Amino acid sequence: MIIAVDGPAGSGKSTISKLLAKELGLVYLDTGAMYRLFTLKMLKENISFSDSDKINELLENLNINIENDRFYLDEKDVSEEIRKSEVSENVSEVSAIKEVREEMINLQRKFSSSKDVILDGRDIGTVVFPNADIKIFLVADPKERAERRYKEVIGKGGKASFQEIYESIVNRDRLDTVREISPLKKAEDGIEVDTTGKTIEEVKNMILSIYKTKSNIC
């Protein structure tokens, strides 16, 4: 069983996917975090986004791991670091690099082989697993997505500007949808779920209903 959950930043993909994984007994893979881990690595190594040789070298020696919702780069827990603004502002550009996407897609497919998996990202249902059993495309009003991200940062004791987060999300949407390689878009057979104004529980139940219908479960 492969469930693909795609959508823009802040639409609730990770939160909903984690809940569904727990309820349905699936393995959860946060593919966006994989790109964030590589983005962090590039920033730490001060590698230019146009330096193909250095990028390929980093990919060949990449040491990332995901365990119990914690994210590791070179065996160091960087779960908080990959969510910082510097990574968020650069991850779209990094994820548009052909070599990076090819390697990440390869890793995602390897991880998901012989498992019942739910994956969230931006091209899961269109590129990574075009034959996924269920394809969900989450959307939400940009201002509401910014408000969610703002509350998340403040809730963790961080400092944030709502306007800056909003502008970052709008810019991220633009970059993700216009990039040449694996742009963000709904799969032809994807089911759109609008999370605007809905609670996490309401969204989860909407997708569970879709799952039951697709799986012929009464």
Side-chain angles (χ1 to χ4, degrees):
M1 168 69 71
I2 299 288
I3 299 179
V5 181
D6 291 308
S11 56
K13 301 185 300 293
S14 297
T15 301
I16 294 300
S17 296
K18 288 176 186 176
L19 289 172
L20 290 169
K22 185 175 182 180
E23 185 140 345
L24 298 174
L26 305 173
V27 176
Y28 167 63
L29 178 60
D30 183 346
T31 66
M34 295 173 69
Y35 287 101
R36 285 177 174 271
L37 285 165
F38 190 74
T39 300
L40 179 61
K41 181 66 173 178
M42 285 189 66
L43 292 171
K44 284 181 176 293
E45 299 289 335
N46 197 28
I47 303 298
S48 168
F49 295 164
S50 60
D51 192 338
S52 296
D53 290 338
K54 286 290 186 181
I55 290 171
N56 284 323
E57 186 179 328
L58 281 188
L59 287 169
E60 288 174 9
N61 299 288
L62 186 61
N63 179 9
I64 63 173
N65 195 18
I66 303 174
E67 289 184 5
N68 301 318
D69 291 334
R70 305 299 295 179
F71 304 96
Y72 298 85
L73 175 63
D74 297 326
E75 300 183 8
K76 178 186 176 184
D77 188 341
V78 292
S79 303
E80 279 70 45
E81 205 170 347
I82 62 171
R83 303 298 175 185
K84 290 184 176 179
S85 59
E86 186 180 15
V87 174
S88 297
E89 289 164 5
N90 287 283
V91 68
S92 284
E93 193 167 354
V94 171
S95 62
I97 298 170
K98 181 175 180 288
E99 295 88 347
V100 175
R101 292 209 76 83
E102 288 176 349
E103 179 61 20
M104 292 302 156
I105 288 171
N106 183 45
L107 289 173
Q108 290 158 23
R109 287 173 175 163
K110 280 184 178 178
F111 177 88
S112 304
S113 62
S114 304
K115 295 185 183 77
D116 293 326
V117 182
I118 182 166
L119 307 91
D120 71 316
R122 285 167 174 74
D123 63 348
I124 308 302
T126 55
V127 176
V128 184
F129 287 108
N131 295 320
D133 300 279
I134 300 172
K135 301 176 187 178
I136 303 296
F137 193 78
L138 292 184
V139 298
D141 176 79
K143 286 189 175 180
E144 182 163 325
R145 287 188 276 136
E147 183 68 26
R148 292 171 184 171
R149 188 61 55 83
Y150 175 78
K151 288 180 178 177
E152 180 183 2
V153 174
I154 297 300
K156 291 180 178 179
K159 294 181 179 180
S161 160
F162 172 80
Q163 188 60 30
E164 287 180 2
I165 290 176
Y166 173 71
E167 290 173 1
S168 175
I169 280 179
V170 170
N171 185 53
R172 180 87 190 269
D173 287 351
R174 182 185 62 79
L175 290 172
D176 287 342
T177 54
V178 303
R179 70 187 180 206
E180 184 178 349
I181 302 171
S182 301
L184 168 66
K185 63 179 181 179
K186 186 181 76 166
E188 288 186 7
D189 54 346
I191 301 171
E192 184 172 305
V193 175
D194 192 339
T195 68
T196 305
K198 296 182 177 66
T199 66
I200 293 172
E201 192 69 18
E202 287 173 334
V203 176
K204 184 192 75 170
N205 289 335
M206 289 172 68
I207 298 177
L208 280 175
S209 178
I210 294 169
Y211 169 83
K212 290 176 181 178
T213 300
K214 287 276 188 178
S215 305
N216 294 318
I217 296 175
C218 298

